[in-house]
Amino acid sequence: MKNRLVLMAIALLMAVAGNAQKREMRGAWIQCVNGQFQNMGTAKMQQTLTYQLDELKKDGVNVIIFQVRPECDALYESKIEPWSRFLTGVQGKAPSPYWDPLQWMIEECHKRDMELHAWINPFRAKTKGTNVLAKNHIAIRKPANCFAYDELFILNPGIEENRDYICEVAKDIVARYDVDGIHMDDYFYPYPVKGLSIPDDELFHDHSNGIKDQNDWRRYNVNLFIEQFYKAIHEVKPWVKVGISPFGIYRNKKSSPVGSNTNGTQNYDDLYADILLWVNNGWLDYCVPQLYWEIGNKAADYATLIKWWSQHAAVRPLVIGEDVERTVKYADPQNPNQHQLGAKMNLHRQNPAVKGTVLWYAKAAVDNVGNYGTSLREVYWKHPALQPEMPFISNKAPKKVKKLSPVWTEDGYILFWISPSSKHWESNAEKYVVYRFAKGEKVNLNDPSKIVTITDKFFYKLPYNEGKEKWTYVVTALNRIQNESKPATKKIKL
């Protein structure tokens, strides 16, 4: 019986791995709000992040989502907001020796051919653990723009000045840093606490915009912000992706016929976040619902929710926010001798609307809890992957590479090419994909197992071995959002 279960598990792994996607967002959240970097110091934090990035690269991760603004502060050099206490221990205090974590992370991620998405918390102005705010913090400069709730400070979404302010902060990041994306999580209005009400009755009375229901008005405020934010980012740099990671339940079926068969906190009713409106109106470039539950959870079953999101939120790339620790904590209901990673990945493949995964959280994968990281690098994310296509940003690609040719050098047999000409970001080659096919093998660029590298270099060192075997190498060019050029092909003896 035990051997049979092992064989079944191996068969499932091979089936999922064999159905690997060429285009897949494979992300990991690196958060600071848990205090993991606080008072660590420049050298130690850089050493820690270097190790994490190296391990995540081996796991197949191609996007890092790095928290840079947890409470209207900054893990980067800003003239608008103070340095974060989650970096130095004191809000407003610069790191010493001086460095800019965001700039450093961009360089390190790009060095590893990973994207870097800057993660901001838009409206949260103070977390529960913060007791002292810097003099230039928005809550000190403009206290009337915030409200207190459950030991938090929240920038009131109903105040237009606040919406403008957050957009200016984000535009400043995008203008000055070479980020690939801007990412928001699920903090809009605060999570409800029994017995507490949001103190915005007076603001609603004076600025209701003709909306009679206060809950509708709150949703209206957040909708205004999301639309404004999306347009603001793309006006600065059209290739920078806007991603949002909402709570995993949109609405429960008992609240609405469109809701899921769940029983939990609701984006629409409790957080005033109308995610489906944003997706369907194209006010974001990818959506990452936080499906942190396990398969079989009584209140919020993972299998139910991944199907629901696939059915209702596929107008923009749907990426699943995955809880690493919970996934390995619970047994697969169909195979009790193993945890749920395989079953969850199988659900991803069964729902074509799913375009990737983001790991909550990066360190759990790095620590390889339940062999999660090992499974990624050896099975699920064994081969490289390009980012999901986003034709709503652009469907244009670079021209094909020129003068693809193998050349003998002092460093060995090298395949060289020349970048195609370009006058615009859409046609500019930022990276290249190198494929390899054996003699007689059909050239299939949709097979990710044939990708030998994704690189920003203009060359690739060939694995020469006596020159007795014939191979076909194919090189394509990628632009900033990884639209792919037509192939250039070369047959080579190795």
Side-chain angles (χ1 to χ4, degrees), residues 43 59 73 171 211 226 255 267 300 308 313 320 338-339 494:
D59 289 343
D73 52 359
K171 284 164 64 177
I211 299 171
I226 297 296
S255 300
N267 278 290
W308 186 93
I320 303 303
Q338 62 188 49
H339 57 59
L494 295 175

Side-chain angles (χ1 to χ4, degrees), residues 37 43 51 122 137 141 179 181 201 208 271 342 346 424 436 459 494:
F37 303 122
Y51 174 73
H137 190 274
R141 292 190 289 109
V179 295
D201 291 352
S208 66
L271 304 176
N346 201 35
H424 192 264
R436 166 175 151 132
F459 59 88
L494 295 175

Side-chain angles (χ1 to χ4, degrees), residues 397-402 418-421 475-477 485-489:
K399 295 179 181 178
K400 66 193 298 185
V401 302
K402 298 182 287 187
I418 295 176
S419 177
S421 57
V475 177
T476 59
S485 74
K486 292 181 179 179
T489 304

Side-chain angles (χ1 to χ4, degrees), residues 33 48 64 114 128 139 162 182 194 209 309:
V33 75
T48 301
I64 297 296
M114 295 172 167
K128 289 186 179 182
N162 286 340
I182 286 283
K194 191 174 183 180
N209 295 298
W309 284 96

